[in-house]
Amino acid sequence: DADVTQTPRNRITKTGKRIMLECSQTKGHDRMYWYRQDPGLGLRLIYYSFDVKDINKGEISDGYSVSRQAQAKFSLSLESAIPNQTALYFCATSDPTSGNNEQFFGPGTRLTVL
Amino acid sequence: GQSLEQPSEVTAVEGAIVQINCTYQTSGFYGLSWYQQHDGGAPTFLSYNALDGLEETGRFSSFLSRSDSYGYLLLQELQMKDSASYFCAVRDGTGGFKTIFGAGTRLFVKA
């Protein structure tokens, strides 16, 4: 079954550490997204990519960077993690030809920065 | 900029009908989506409205009025499993076709 996967599912790290969250998809979608979710704040867009050569900043990109290694892979890095980056992180994909803007989400990565 | 407003919580009884409203402000509106998220789970797509009117999918319907910058999600014949968070999201064409999510409405369904 075509899917969106994220690794790791849970991560605890310390302030100042570099962290990479990985996302892979087998849906064949060109568009990929990274969101963070905090209680009461919904999903906020960090970065998005419409194809391998296209990277765009979202609402809250400061402190984050991304790499689109292939159509199927989109990684999110925290260069120097800080406690207020503790959150649930979701990767998502979409097909621009679908007509309904449906995004397919991975299971999420729960990140805790101590 | 963009903003969306939806109620933080709604409570309803099993078998009832509930409406979750969403108002939005955006300069490059293309469409309004709704997503459901159960505790501990990922958001899942429910509906998308690009044009005014009502879209029906089983027990769920979604409505859009572009002139009022307003939409709603209607859930009929509520079931306990409908207890979840519901997010409205606008597709915004300003600076690229990104999707901006509201803060979510927590729906509690009581027996």
Side-chain angles (χ1 to χ4, degrees), chain B residues 19-63:
Chain B
Q19 178 175 311
I20 300 173
N21 298 319
C22 175
T23 56
Y24 60 85
Q25 267 191 312
T26 179
S27 52
F29 179 84
Y30 271 81
L32 184 71
S33 302
W34 288 92
Y35 286 79
Q36 179 191 62
Q37 185 182 29
H38 287 99
D39 282 348
T44 57
F45 175 84
L46 293 175
S47 67
Y48 179 68
N49 295 67
L51 303 175
D52 286 358
L54 191 69
E55 297 276 346
E56 298 180 60
T57 309
R59 295 187 297 113
F60 293 4
S61 303
S62 57
F63 172 82

Side-chain angles (χ1 to χ4, degrees), chain A residues 37 48 50 100-103 106, chain B residues 35 37 42 45 48 95 97 99:
Chain A
Q37 186 173 35
Y48 60 106
F50 283 173
N100 66 1
N101 198 40
E102 178 176 0
Q103 294 192 15
Chain B
Y35 286 79
Q37 185 182 29
F45 175 84
Y48 179 68
F97 286 88
T99 299

